[in-house]
Amino acid sequence: MIELQGITKRYGDLLALDDIGFAVRPGRLTGFVGGNGAGKTTAMRILMGVLRADAGQVLLDGHRLDAATRRRFGYMPEERGLYPKMKVVDQLAYLATLHGFDAATGERRARDLLDRLSLAPRAADPVDSLSLGNQQRAQIAAALVHDPSVLVLDEPFSGLDPIAVDVVVSVLAEHARRGVPVLFSSHQLDLVERLCDDLVIIAGGKVQAAGARDDLRARFGTSRYELVASDAGWLRDEPGVEVVELAADQAVFAADEATAQRVLRAALARGPVHRFAYLTPSLAEIFRELMADSQADSQEVPA
Amino acid sequence: MTAVPSAASAPASPSTNRLAVLVAKREILAQVRSRSFWISTGVLLALVLGAIVGSSFFGDVLGKPPKVAAVPQVVEQVEAARLDMVEVPDRAAAEQRLRDRSVGAAVVLGDDGGLLVLGLDSAPTTVAQLLATVPPVGTLDPPRADEGMRMFVALAFGLVFMMAAATYGMTIAQNTVTEKQTRVVEILLSAVPARALFTGKIAGISLLALGQTTALAVVSVVGLTATDRGDLLDQLGAPVVWFVVFFIIGFVLLASMFAAAAALVSRQEDLSAVVQPMVWLIMLPYFAVLFFNGRPTVLTVLSYVPFSAPVGMPVRLFFGDAAVWEPLVSLALLVLTAAVVVAVGARVYQRSVLRMGTRVRLTEVLRAER
């Protein structure tokens, strides 16, 4: 397990990270979400040791991370970087040898990975001749070629088409299944919601929420229910019910569990019920709520 | 679909030295695989070979005495002067030969019974000099090469050093900035320590520079041998070897400065400003050695200053101006300077290579606590 504890980073007057802490558990995909400039990239760079924190520490299974351990990590930086004139396969094989694989094994691993990411036909092309989407895949391959013990990926899905996203997701999930902690940042909340087991939500340099996706939903969900029945207008007069949306035959309301069950029974007594459902809040809703809170909390923190 | 490669195979991280070797290998391969490298190397070697062969060829045409027509009475003397000669029966025949331009000079008996050297419309002085009786000359000290030769040798060493140092120095600087600009350096540094990257980069490019300089030396030797200038070769042999030795240390010194300076900036556009000092360091000794090669005191100083020693010392050695121990002392000085500069350069590189954006200030990097 990777743990960040009390990480603080200052750029001049700007407090980029303010005492943040969260964990990336093995075998789970952890999504790292936050607005632009929230501090995701800074936190990931500190995790990778590419940037030095002003305070705090990064632990792997309870031990402070050292450079040698970090070298077993796989990293995809925010700004993509590979040698522009070097062939894709050579580049990946080179990175594999830097991680201790012999040349032949390195090349074999590179080719396997390119095959896996549907990039095999471009193996002998220089990186700068690839389309952006393919460069992105090559970059992901660069993070995976040495069979990392931890994966840290900054926006791995940006610029990928839906099919490529699925391919990459399946590769990442496979790593996670083998017990590798995987942390990735993304702006695509629907994607994060679909993929991640755990979530870390950061805003204004602070962790606003962290934990298992379903726990967060439960925690931040406002216990909303949807009722579709022949008539829904009577809900307004039910005690303990706060109506959020109301049309002729459909309503969204907030209530506690017991009240909701009472409402359902009452609705059945009045006529046929077409739908009654507990509404899980979408990640986007949780995110917006948290953003609104954090902005209300600290107006002076720049985005 | 093949499976993701398995976790069981992950090997241990290689040692820093091994990593430096891998980095160096990539640097060399990247250059050797580019067509521009072979074109520029080929052009350079061709130019040097051309200059040697050309100078020998034009030297022959311009400096060689012309063919001579000689009357029987003077044949013996003309032969003694080792001139290219045709024997003609008399002066009239010799003059005829001159007029139809089948010879460049005629040697006949003059009115005073001595030799008379005739030309068509210009005095054939080279022939006359060869026939003249000059008393043997000698010097107390071993003879010194003449001023023209001094200039030529200083120019040759200086030019080779300046060109190679500038070309390969800029290659290192550009590679460093490219790695920063494309951010590949972040990926590399998540795999290797900055020191290994720095060392490997310098080692790789230095080997290439050494290879090219050695190739130049070989081409020069072959050129001089092929054009029968073995005399020059005897004088030049040892200084050339010294030059190569000084060159490699001097180049490592400059290369680490180029790499460190380039690590301060994040864009190619900002590169020229930070490499300016190195460009001066490369050009200044070249011009100094060129202009002051007739002033022994200045040249002696230049042959010890680490930045000009790779040119200054071989030039002094060529003219036999330096005692046996001198190149050793100068080399020791150079090695020491290089060691210090490489250490400082590595520090600057390590501390600035991950700092993107505006130019990193050198003083800030040197002062900063690690």
Side-chain angles (χ1 to χ4, degrees):
Chain A
M1 181 165 73
I2 293 279
E3 279 173 282
L4 276 75
Q5 294 181 344
I7 299 285
T8 299
K9 178 70 189 180
R10 210 174 257 290
Y11 292 113
D13 292 336
L14 174 68
L15 188 57
L17 293 178
D18 182 7
D19 188 26
I20 68 158
F22 62 87
V24 185
R25 292 186 276 169
R28 296 174 75 93
L29 291 175
T30 301
F32 197 17
V33 295
N36 295 322
K40 299 189 296 288
T41 295
T42 304
M44 290 177 125
R45 285 166 60 101
I46 287 172
L47 200 169
M48 283 309 298
V50 166
L51 193 67
R52 196 170 298 275
D54 296 330
Q57 56 183 356
V58 184
L59 305 177
L60 175 65
D61 299 330
H63 299 288
R64 224 188 158 115
L65 267 186
D66 57 14
T69 313
R70 278 196 174 102
R71 269 174 227 136
R72 298 270 301 112
F73 289 14
Y75 177 45
M76 177 169 177
E78 174 197 29
E79 293 188 59
R80 313 302 183 219
L82 290 172
Y83 287 106
K85 303 285 175 209
M86 206 169 171
K87 288 178 189 171
V88 178
V89 64
D90 287 354
Q91 191 130 217
L92 296 177
Y94 171 61
L95 290 173
T97 58
L98 289 183
H99 282 99
F101 289 97
D102 63 73
T105 315
E107 171 151 2
R108 204 194 66 233
R109 295 185 63 87
R111 290 198 181 278
D112 285 352
L113 205 47
L114 290 176
D115 199 28
R116 185 67 211 276
L117 293 166
S118 320
L119 204 56
R122 294 273 160 282
D125 292 357
V127 171
D128 63 358
S129 74
L130 299 184
S131 69
L132 282 178
N134 282 341
Q135 287 191 19
Q136 179 86 342
R137 290 185 218 209
Q139 198 75 48
I140 291 168
L144 298 174
V145 72
H146 57 284
D147 200 7
S149 60
V150 172
L151 262 174
V152 178
L153 310 165
D154 205 345
E155 295 281 349
F157 301 110
S158 70
L160 289 184
D161 64 40
I163 295 165
V165 167
D166 288 346
V167 170
V168 172
V169 166
S170 76
V171 174
L172 295 187
E174 217 168 300
H175 277 83
R177 269 203 299 281
R178 291 208 316 261
V180 172
V182 179
L183 176 70
F184 70 87
S185 66
S186 181
H187 283 112
Q188 291 153 277
L189 295 174
D190 54 328
L191 194 70
V192 174
E193 182 160 31
R194 181 157 62 85
L195 294 177
C196 288
D197 306 303
D198 292 338
L199 281 172
V200 177
I201 301 174
I202 184 172
K206 285 186 174 153
V207 173
Q208 304 293 338
R213 178 186 56 185
D214 299 337
D215 291 352
L216 284 182
R217 275 181 174 159
R219 178 142 47 106
F220 288 92
T222 42
S223 302
R224 290 179 182 186
Y225 296 83
E226 184 185 26
L227 174 71
V228 181
S230 49
D231 172 37
W234 56 274
L235 267 176
R236 265 186 296 221
D237 304 323
E238 279 291 312
V241 169
E242 188 195 328
V243 175
V244 180
E245 274 174 48
L246 188 64
D249 59 347
Q250 191 219 352
V252 174
F253 64 95
D256 61 34
E257 177 81 32
T259 311
Q261 294 303 323
R262 201 187 70 224
V263 166
L264 174 59
R265 281 191 298 272
L268 282 167
R270 283 163 187 267
V273 171
H274 304 298
R275 188 194 304 161
F276 184 84
Y278 173 70
L279 292 181
T280 36
S282 71
L283 181 54
E285 283 168 343
I286 297 178
F287 185 72
R288 277 193 209 102
E289 194 178 314
L290 285 169
M291 291 304 110
D293 288 355
S294 88
Q295 251 148 42
D297 284 355
S298 51
Q299 285 294 343
E300 74 274 26
V301 172
Chain B
M1 245 190 218
T2 49
V4 170
S6 92
S9 54
S13 193
S15 69
T16 303
N17 287 342
R18 167 91 190 114
L19 287 170
V21 170
L22 288 168
V23 172
K25 205 170 116 188
R26 196 210 75 87
E27 291 287 343
I28 292 171
L29 282 178
Q31 291 294 318
V32 169
R33 281 180 184 161
S34 78
R35 198 185 305 169
S36 60
F37 170 80
W38 290 109
I39 292 174
S40 68
T41 306
V43 167
L44 189 60
L45 292 183
L47 275 178
V48 168
L49 195 62
I52 291 170
V53 174
S55 73
S56 145
F57 175 73
F58 288 115
D60 282 356
V61 169
L62 298 174
K64 204 176 164 187
K67 196 173 183 183
V68 168
V71 295
Q73 297 90 323
V74 301
V75 161
E76 208 169 298
Q77 280 156 290
V78 173
E79 265 179 348
R82 307 174 87 170
L83 284 161
D84 186 7
M85 178 193 74
V86 280
E87 199 176 329
V88 290
D90 52 24
R91 178 165 174 170
E95 285 180 6
Q96 185 52 46
R97 288 272 183 155
L98 262 180
R99 287 194 187 284
D100 65 22
R101 296 177 191 269
S102 63
V103 295
V107 185
V108 296
L109 274 182
D111 296 337
D112 58 356
L115 295 180
L116 176 63
V117 182
L118 294 171
L120 182 61
D121 48 15
S122 63
T125 46
T126 43
V127 175
Q129 275 163 15
L130 285 166
L131 290 168
T133 323
V134 178
V137 293
T139 57
L140 290 180
D141 291 327
R144 288 165 53 128
D146 60 72
E147 284 308 308
M149 201 62 213
R150 274 189 101 87
M151 199 69 169
F152 174 76
V153 169
L155 193 77
F157 282 133
L159 210 58
V160 170
F161 184 77
M162 184 172 76
M163 298 259 298
T167 310
Y168 287 102
M170 278 314 285
T171 303
I172 286 199
Q174 273 161 1
N175 284 356
T176 305
V177 176
T178 302
E179 283 176 1
K180 254 189 110 165
Q181 196 165 16
T182 61
R183 303 299 201 278
V184 72
V185 72
E186 288 195 10
I187 295 180
L188 294 174
L189 287 183
S190 70
V192 304
R195 200 156 42 87
L197 198 56
F198 179 79
T199 313
K201 189 176 286 297
I202 286 169
I205 300 292
S206 297
L207 276 176
L208 274 180
L210 179 67
Q212 199 177 58
T213 308
T214 310
L216 270 182
V218 169
V219 163
S220 311
V221 167
V222 169
L224 289 173
T225 314
T227 53
D228 279 333
R229 301 274 285 280
D231 52 331
L232 199 54
L233 200 57
D234 290 342
Q235 279 174 287
L236 217 47
V240 163
V241 172
W242 275 111
F243 174 71
V244 172
V245 173
F246 271 89
F247 173 86
I248 192 64
I249 313 285
F251 182 76
V252 167
L253 167 68
L254 287 165
S256 60
M257 295 176 76
F258 270 104
L264 296 174
V265 297
S266 307
R267 299 180 309 163
Q268 297 283 356
E269 300 92 285
D270 299 333
L271 190 57
S272 63
V274 284
V275 298
Q276 203 66 45
M278 271 70 72
V279 173
W280 284 114
L281 276 177
I282 289 171
M283 292 193 6
L284 229 53
Y286 163 70
F287 286 113
V289 168
L290 198 62
F291 291 137
F292 296 115
N293 74 71
R295 311 252 309 263
T297 334
V298 181
L299 197 58
T300 304
V301 172
L302 288 174
S303 71
Y304 282 100
V305 173
F307 293 101
S308 52
V311 180
M313 192 49 87
V315 170
R316 287 185 63 214
L317 285 164
F318 175 74
F319 296 108
D321 293 350
V324 189
W325 54 268
E326 286 195 78
L328 295 172
V329 172
S330 172
L331 188 64
L333 214 61
L334 180 60
V335 168
L336 215 67
T337 314
V340 171
V341 170
V342 168
V344 174
R347 200 173 144 113
V348 171
Y349 181 86
Q350 267 175 324
R351 290 177 180 189
S352 44
V353 76
L354 284 175
R355 292 179 53 175
M356 305 296 167
T358 51
R359 177 176 165 181
V360 180
R361 296 190 62 80
L362 187 60
T363 45
E364 184 191 339
V365 175
L366 288 174
R367 216 186 306 122
E369 286 299 319
R370 173 90 198 164

